[in-house]
Amino acid sequence: MSKPKVVLGVSGGIAAYKACELLRRLTESGHDVRVVPTASALHFVGAATWSALSGNPVATEVWDDVHEVPHVRIGQHADLVVVAPATADMLAKAAHGLADDLLTNTLLTARCPVVFAPAMHTEMWEHPATQENVATLRRRGAVVIEPAVGRLTGVDTGKGRLPDPVEIFEICRRVLARGVTEPDLAGRHVVISAGGTREPLDPVRFLGNRSSGKQGYALARTAAARGARVTLIAANTTGLPDPAGVDVVPVGTAVELREAVLKATRDADAVVMAAAVADFRPATYATGKIKKKDDQEPEPVALVRNPDVLAEISADRARPGQVIVGFAAETDDVLANGRKKLARKGCDLLVVNEVGERKTFGAEENEAVVLAADGGETPVPHGPKEALADTVWDLVAARLR
Ligand SMILES: Cc1cc2nc3c(=O)[nH]c(=O)nc-3n(C[C@H](O)[C@H](O)[C@H](O)COP(=O)(O)O)c2cc1C
């Protein structure tokens, strides 16, 4: 089998050096990468670096090797074009169909999926001209990853930073795996909860659960690759890197999670509650560490109910047509309990999986059945958590249509 052909477009931003890491990941994972830098990009990283790392010739203008008609061929033969970093200038040119160098010609001739990873100062990103160009590109089917928030060139901090190259690579991998398909969540806002809540007993102890957050993160990554604007409400997911282009809201307890979910879902098209939210919390919180007393048995811990966030947002939808998905982790009688839970919660879809100490929690793979309120049942065989995530988005996208 021939290697998938990827065009890595690099435009003239300070983050051009980070594209070397993306290039390495793409080549090491078996892609044939042709780097097409702009003339400005070559001020930051030279052609020799791109050529040596990709093992392919590097050109910027349409006038090299004219007999091979590169301004047409490179785009026509690509399975994926990813532009990282994408400057404000490049987004504007792409949105308006300009073709004054090899990369812009390639963008016009490509019929494969196109991913842009913008990077620029916050003012440039927020400017209405850039925002309109981004909206145009998304409307036409390109995946434009939201920039990250953090340190920019110089001393500035804000939104506009290039997302981590590892995460851009993950998006490219997902987009390539799905082939030329419509980014069917483009223009949609989706909210995902991930991880497990922790209910404090005292300053050092909590009641928690084994959820790692990996399924929720897979949902966030795949939704971003399908073009959605993603808010990820992350409960105690330390150690998992923020997925590229995803707005991450960290929370600790079920009450905090509820507040974040209610706020984010106001304008959401779909909500997927993958987090394991504690049903109960300690009735009282000891402000000092609870001490062991040699001559006394420990006090029992009284519990009170936590709010049922899934039932609440399902009963009182923030928007008409909002699609709500729940997760049910069951240990026995999995499907029967799942059906009962779906009816009780009032959501549209319920992903039911069997859990145990060594099953599902923290694993890279999952296996589930997605139950629908209309009676549908979609089994998802054992496989990567991203495959289950894509099935969930297929079902959500069908309902949003
Ligand atoms: C030091 C320096 C850093 C720059 N960083 C960025 C950047 O991060 N994002 C951006 O949109 N433009 C940035 N620019 C401006 C672009 O290089 C400029 O708009 C250029 O025309 C882009 O050309 P291109 O889109 O063909 O690569 C930077 C310019 C300089 C001199």
Side-chain angles (χ1 to χ4, degrees), residues 96-386:
H96 290 85
L98 299 191
D100 61 356
D101 64 5
L102 190 56
L103 179 53
T104 45
N105 276 271
T106 299
L107 286 168
L108 282 186
T109 50
R111 292 294 175 269
C112 58
V114 179
V115 175
F116 290 93
M120 63 200 71
H121 262 75
T122 312
E123 293 84 346
M124 290 175 94
W125 173 251
E126 287 177 348
H127 195 285
T130 304
Q131 287 302 306
E132 279 172 32
N133 292 330
V134 168
T136 301
L137 292 168
R138 284 182 174 153
R139 203 173 53 248
R140 286 192 200 130
V143 173
V144 185
I145 307 173
E146 285 288 307
V149 176
R151 181 86 188 265
L152 306 169
T153 323
V155 292
D156 299 351
T157 320
K159 187 163 184 174
R161 193 177 154 85
L162 187 76
D164 192 323
V166 179
E167 291 299 316
I168 301 175
F169 168 72
E170 284 301 326
I171 291 202
C172 292
R173 207 170 54 76
R174 291 311 303 156
V175 172
L176 262 172
R178 285 176 51 78
V180 187
T181 51
E182 285 280 295
D184 51 0
L185 296 175
R188 304 290 189 180
H189 177 209
V190 304
V191 175
I192 299 151
S193 71
T197 58
R198 290 181 180 176
E199 309 299 325
L201 263 170
D202 69 14
V204 291
R205 303 182 182 94
F206 58 81
L207 296 182
N209 60 67
R210 295 178 190 276
S211 180
S212 66
K214 286 183 182 170
Q215 184 61 64
Y217 275 58
L219 281 155
R221 233 182 240 125
T222 46
R226 293 169 75 147
R229 176 162 74 85
V230 184
T231 306
L232 176 63
I233 295 164
N236 308 298
T237 53
T238 332
L240 295 183
D242 288 356
V246 167
D247 191 10
V248 181
V249 182
V251 294
T253 65
V255 169
E256 286 168 13
L257 181 135
R258 174 181 175 272
E259 262 172 48
V261 167
L262 292 186
K263 187 166 171 222
T265 50
R266 274 183 217 142
D267 70 342
D269 297 287
V271 188
V272 182
M273 297 287 288
V277 183
D279 292 327
F280 311 105
R281 66 175 183 275
T284 52
Y285 172 72
T287 49
K289 186 181 168 194
I290 301 168
K291 293 278 188 202
K292 182 170 65 181
K293 292 179 189 135
D294 287 343
D295 50 345
Q296 282 175 23
E297 285 302 305
E299 293 279 327
V301 176
L303 299 174
V304 291
R305 266 177 195 277
N306 266 329
D308 186 336
V309 189
L310 179 58
E312 182 178 351
I313 60 168
S314 300
D316 190 11
R317 310 240 170 170
R319 289 178 80 173
Q322 189 176 65
V323 180
I324 299 184
V325 185
F327 268 68
E330 300 287 348
T331 50
D332 322 281
D333 228 352
V334 177
L335 279 187
N337 282 333
R339 275 267 161 231
K340 280 187 214 149
K341 180 165 176 179
L342 178 61
R344 211 169 51 241
K345 301 284 181 179
C347 51
D348 302 293
L349 297 165
L350 190 77
V351 183
V352 187
N353 51 16
E354 198 176 338
V355 294
E357 268 190 49
R358 280 179 201 79
K359 241 184 191 167
T360 302
F361 288 132
E364 300 304 328
E365 304 203 318
N366 207 346
E367 180 181 343
V369 178
V370 188
L371 302 178
D374 58 16
E377 222 174 273
T378 312
V380 185
H382 191 80
K385 287 186 169 172
E386 284 169 347

